Amino acid sequence: AFALTASGNAEILAAWLERNLAGGYAGLPAAIDARLDAFLHEVGRRKFVKPLFTALARTPEGKSRAQAIYATARPRYHSVTRGTNDALLGWTEGR
């Protein structure tokens, strides 16, 4: 009704995506998953990225998805953001 998935406001969208991940990654609607993937590739600010990767990593399926997204989004992130998420997702160089 409010088209939050299509929001152009990063604050609103990050909160909406995090709320959708509250129940775990399994069962996440395809449209939300696609927007989450796009958002994590578009936005590199740690304040948005870390909570979403943290929410994803709560389940084995979600952590696998987080690692897949992170593998392609990581080069776009600032070194501080990479350091935070490297530790969170168990990233090692050459992965």
Side-chain angles (χ1 to χ4, degrees):
F2 297 105
L4 297 176
T5 304
S7 177
N9 181 308
E11 294 280 351
I12 291 170
L13 186 55
W16 173 244
L17 293 170
E18 189 174 1
R19 174 67 188 108
N20 276 274
L21 290 168
Y25 178 70
L28 193 66
I32 299 292
D33 184 47
R35 189 61 183 112
L36 173 67
D37 184 297
F39 184 75
L40 289 170
H41 281 89
E42 294 164 4
V43 175
R45 292 198 61 196
R46 186 172 59 166
K47 78 179 244 178
F48 298 127
V49 172
K50 182 181 181 261
L52 293 172
F53 280 127
T54 299
L56 271 170
R58 288 187 186 123
T59 65
E61 300 88 3
K63 187 168 186 176
S64 177
R65 180 68 172 130
Q67 290 169 331
I69 293 170
Y70 189 61
T72 57
R74 185 180 185 275
R76 296 176 177 93
Y77 294 160
H78 184 276
S79 63
V80 174
T81 303
R82 284 194 310 263
T84 298
N85 291 297
D86 285 357
L88 175 68
L89 299 173
W91 181 268
T92 56
E93 286 301 318
R95 188 164 197 224

